[in-house]
Amino acid sequence: AQTVTQSQPEMSVQEAETVTLSCTYDTSENNYYLFWYKQPPSRQMILVIRQEAYKQQNATENRFSVNFQKAAKSFSLKISDSQLGDTAMYFCAFMLNRDDKIIFGKGTRLHILP
Amino acid sequence: NAGVTQTPKFRVLKTGQSMTLLCAQDMNHEYMYWYRQDPGMGLRLIHYSVGEGTTAKGEVPDGYNVSRLKKQNFLLGLESAAPSQTSVYFCASSWGVNPTDTQYFGPGTRLTVL
């Protein structure tokens, strides 16, 4: 069975700083995808970034980038130049290429301080 | 486009009462999902549907039933509510089941069972 672990329940950083959220996962499969979802106080989840396991290059989306270490089964999210609007709950998630379900971690609550 | 909408936004039930949560999407998506989110936990899949007239069990299906009579709607029913079903419920939809098919989430329904 696949599992996703987020070891940081809560984090706070000052506005404009860079912050890294950690995620580890466990699987015996080779073909899968990893995701970071953002859930702001409004509660509506949105996809931040997606990484395909067979791609060595780390995915980036503007200020958001990942550090994907396949051998270590690690998938961290880096937010550069953090903004107040980045305050949210962030979920790391996993999906097998052959499956139809996403497995979510427990989340990291991120506070961006003015 | 409204995207994914959920009705109602909040509801309080007494133990043993029944209710139906409605999810609607206007993106012509084939796939729809119901998740629950509990404090300190990630989203867990309750039921999902791969097309009109189909339903399938997710990770935590007990105590819930679903129906997908129309492509745009996915209903989640609680026949006899229990306090353990107090949670925030999210609906999501996607074009397909591939990991490259982004799931779009609704704003959630907060349900309290007394």
Side-chain angles (χ1 to χ4, degrees):
Chain A
Q2 283 64 233
T3 60
V4 178
T5 303
Q6 294 179 250
S7 58
Q8 305 152 310
E10 197 159 0
M11 299 180 70
S12 296
V13 295
Q14 294 293 136
E15 190 177 7
E17 288 185 350
T18 295
V19 59
T20 299
L21 281 60
S22 302
C23 173
T24 58
Y25 60 94
D26 191 26
T27 183
S28 58
E29 302 277 346
N30 269 320
N31 298 318
Y32 53 87
Y33 284 70
L34 294 158
F35 311 84
W36 279 98
Y37 278 87
K38 172 184 178 181
Q39 186 181 39
S42 65
R43 291 203 316 235
Q44 197 149 2
M45 299 259 291
I46 54 175
L47 178 65
V48 174
I49 201 163
R50 171 173 32 221
Q51 174 79 40
E52 300 159 72
Y54 65 85
K55 284 191 177 179
Q56 292 186 336
Q57 185 174 5
N58 290 325
T60 62
E61 287 287 342
N62 301 313
R63 297 182 296 108
F64 298 86
S65 62
V66 297
N67 183 4
F68 174 47
Q69 302 288 328
K70 191 171 184 179
K73 295 180 183 176
S74 170
F75 183 61
S76 60
L77 175 70
K78 185 172 83 170
I79 306 174
S80 304
D81 186 26
S82 58
Q83 301 174 357
L84 296 178
D86 296 333
T87 291
M89 194 79 164
Y90 287 82
F91 292 96
C92 180
F94 172 99
M95 186 175 184
L96 287 175
N97 203 28
R98 58 171 173 78
D99 206 349
D100 51 7
K101 295 179 281 293
I102 297 177
I103 299 167
F104 289 87
K106 293 184 177 182
T108 295
R109 188 173 300 279
L110 177 65
H111 302 275
I112 307 299
L113 308 173
Chain B
N1 286 351
V4 179
T5 58
Q6 292 182 232
T7 310
K9 288 185 170 53
F10 303 92
R11 186 74 185 266
V12 178
L13 290 178
K14 293 182 180 178
T15 296
Q17 287 185 320
S18 63
M19 79 160 293
T20 300
L21 280 66
L22 171 64
C23 176
Q25 52 94 5
D26 60 3
M27 296 175 281
N28 202 33
H29 285 169
E30 287 292 336
Y31 290 77
M32 296 187 75
Y33 312 82
W34 275 108
Y35 294 90
R36 61 178 287 172
Q37 183 181 29
D38 300 299
M41 300 192 72
L43 275 70
R44 292 183 293 168
L45 183 65
I46 304 171
H47 285 281
Y48 63 105
S49 168
V50 302
E52 182 178 321
T54 74
T55 63
K57 293 182 180 180
E59 182 185 354
V60 289
D62 294 341
Y64 305 95
N65 57 74
V66 288
S67 64
R68 183 103 181 265
L69 298 179
K70 292 183 179 181
K71 186 177 184 178
Q72 63 267 33
N73 294 338
F74 194 30
L75 279 66
L76 177 71
L78 287 72
E79 290 186 349
S80 179
S84 61
Q85 294 178 305
T86 293
S87 188
V88 181
Y89 291 86
F90 288 95
C91 177
S93 71
S94 63
W95 279 111
V97 77
N98 292 324
T100 52
D101 295 316
T102 301
Q103 286 192 20
Y104 294 86
F105 286 81
T109 295
R110 184 176 295 278
L111 175 66
T112 302
V113 183
L114 304 175

